[in-house]
Amino acid sequence: MFAAAAIAFAAPSAALASDFSEPWKRDDRALVIDAYEYNSIDWAELATDKRIVGFINKASDGLPPPYACKGDETEVRLCRALFRRHAVAKELFQTRRTVARALGLEWGAYHLARPGNPIEQANNFIDFARPGPDDLMALDIEDNNPEKWMSLADAEEFVRHVHRRVGRFPVLYTNGSTAQHIADHRHLYPLLSRLPLWYARYKPEIDMHFPKGNWQSYALWQFATQANCNARRCPYRVPGTPTDIDVNVAAMTAEELRTAWPFGGLIGVPVDMLFRVPVPVARADALEGEVTIAYADVAQLPTFSMLAEAAGEGWRRMRYGWAVAMSGPYKGRYRHGMAEYAAGKLEAFRQMVADAESAAGIDPIATGSIPAADSAKD
């Protein structure tokens, strides 16, 4: 039995109303930069902006590159190019972490989720980022399209495996439609729906977007990027960075954000409700090696929100059934709705049984023919 310990989201329980409307214009709201390997950074200039509290850098991207290249000449050249890019990005990542920490910035890393084995991707992320106890981790789900990005079901496994290895959860970076889908189907995504939310939305207001399932607010709001920032206008310009840099705001002060960093918990539930346990393997198989560890779901007690959601689903199905009885081929036949519809169905069944009983050689219970010899004996 896992120890029951609820790890709550460390941000304030309810954001101020203005935190949903251009909060970056408030001097008391902390800002965070996130970058990838092709963003240029002038660290001396960046350090002059005292509102910048943290720096989140891209770490891994999908599955790790192969270490042994195979195939024809073109395939081998492409494979080697991907590995060189991976190695250069990893070296740049470590350099930026050293500089950011030297400047007193909080550090974080994100994994760009692609289709493919989520366990291998989680291992790739951890091995690439080597997160320390104070480093934020983030899973980047660009959109709810499993052909281009990691599926949400695989993202659950990714998050679960990160916690197995590191003992903390990542925050979830995603857009409005994907976050809404997760919130609406939170019974399917008990982990994703309770991760601190890093929200991507490039509009000045998002008050109509919250609450969103378990999310009463955001951990970070990515409000500026190449999509809405250019040489002429930008929601916020960070010194020492290009116009395509991503800028994020927190619904808290710099001191509060440093206290909450690196997040790493779940919103409002005991962790042991959401875990799996490894399935035992035979000793002989283990000694042979090449064993893949499988995990079984731990039965979880329903929370109040789960019960409410199940009740709501039952009510929706009942209303649908009622509507069916009042529409389509049944329209006009059952003016009193479901009760008359059910009574009509029962009467039709009784008539069918009566017709079967009157037919020679038919057993209405077994719904099969009675042999003629047996029928003659009766």
Side-chain angles (χ1 to χ4, degrees):
M1 180 65 67
F2 293 98
I7 302 180
F9 176 29
S13 58
L16 300 174
S18 59
D19 283 321
F20 297 113
S21 178
E22 299 184 308
W24 51 89
K25 292 184 176 180
R26 295 180 52 175
D27 292 338
D28 65 338
R29 287 303 178 245
L31 301 177
V32 174
I33 299 299
D34 71 274
Y36 74 123
E37 56 266 30
Y38 294 115
N39 292 132
S40 60
I41 307 293
D42 185 330
W43 291 95
E45 285 292 318
L46 186 150
T48 63
D49 190 336
K50 300 306 179 184
R51 290 183 62 188
I52 306 299
V53 173
F55 194 103
I56 305 174
N57 203 86
K58 178 188 172 187
S60 46
D61 187 331
L63 293 166
Y67 290 96
C69 296
K70 300 178 181 179
D72 58 31
E73 182 180 355
T74 301
E75 291 173 331
V76 170
R77 289 177 61 186
L78 176 60
C79 172
R80 289 175 177 172
L82 289 174
F83 187 81
R84 283 195 297 269
R85 177 183 173 183
H86 174 82
V88 170
K90 191 171 184 178
E91 182 177 353
L92 177 62
F93 177 91
Q94 300 299 340
T95 300
R96 285 182 173 177
R97 172 157 58 182
T98 301
V99 176
R101 285 176 170 170
L103 294 174
L105 298 175
E106 302 294 338
W107 179 258
Y110 71 89
H111 173 81
L112 186 57
R114 306 279 191 179
N117 189 309
I119 303 300
E120 290 185 23
Q121 291 196 55
N123 288 331
N124 184 31
F125 173 56
I126 295 168
D127 295 342
F128 188 112
R130 292 186 290 174
D134 298 324
D135 292 348
L136 179 144
M137 300 178 293
L139 174 62
D140 181 347
I141 302 290
E142 290 288 321
D143 203 0
N144 187 16
N145 183 347
E147 292 185 1
K148 295 183 177 180
W149 312 103
M150 180 184 287
S151 71
L152 299 181
D154 281 353
E156 281 278 306
E157 291 303 315
F158 179 98
V159 169
R160 201 182 305 274
H161 192 67
V162 167
H163 191 278
R164 288 191 196 111
R165 287 195 56 183
V166 181
R168 291 185 287 115
F169 291 100
V171 302
L172 174 66
Y173 171 93
T174 196
N175 58 26
S177 60
T178 304
Q180 188 64 60
H181 181 85
I182 293 171
D184 291 343
H185 300 84
R186 52 193 178 276
H187 60 293
L188 298 177
Y189 310 115
L191 287 178
L192 293 181
S193 64
R194 292 188 178 277
L195 297 177
L197 180 62
W198 181 2
Y199 200 51
R201 177 71 175 178
Y202 312 117
K203 300 293 182 181
E205 298 186 1
I206 58 171
D207 57 326
M208 71 293 293
H209 293 199
F210 291 91
K212 192 189 296 286
N214 298 315
W215 295 306
Q216 301 301 307
S217 183
Y218 53 86
L220 296 171
W221 171 6
Q222 187 183 85
F223 66 89
T225 188
Q226 190 172 14
N228 65 341
C229 182
N230 53 47
R232 295 183 59 187
R233 63 175 60 183
C234 190
Y236 190 93
R237 295 193 187 280
V238 178
T241 64
T243 56
D244 63 344
I245 199 74
D246 295 336
V247 190
N248 310 268
V249 64
M252 59 188 86
T253 65
E255 182 179 354
E256 289 169 338
L257 180 57
R258 291 185 187 279
T259 300
W261 201 277
F263 302 100
L266 296 175
I267 301 173
V269 293
V271 176
D272 62 340
M273 292 176 59
L274 304 173
F275 268 82
R276 291 179 170 184
V277 295
V279 177
V281 297
R283 178 178 176 80
D285 294 337
L287 292 175
E288 287 282 337
E290 300 294 330
V291 173
T292 300
I293 302 297
Y295 291 84
D297 290 327
V298 173
Q300 44 178 294
L301 297 174
T303 63
F304 177 78
S305 63
M306 291 177 183
L307 293 174
E309 191 170 346
E313 180 66 20
W315 171 249
R316 287 190 293 272
R317 289 186 179 184
M318 190 192 78
R319 288 183 61 191
Y320 173 75
W322 187 282
V324 167
M326 298 292 287
S327 62
Y330 306 109
K331 187 174 183 180
R333 293 174 56 188
Y334 305 106
R335 297 187 178 182
H336 299 287
M338 182 60 73
E340 190 174 355
Y341 170 76
K345 285 292 185 182
L346 179 60
E347 181 60 30
F349 176 75
R350 287 172 175 168
Q351 186 61 47
M352 181 188 70
V353 172
D355 293 343
E357 289 176 341
S358 63
I362 298 296
D363 180 356
I365 303 301
T367 64
S369 299
I370 300 174
D374 293 341
S375 180
K377 291 178 182 177
D378 294 335

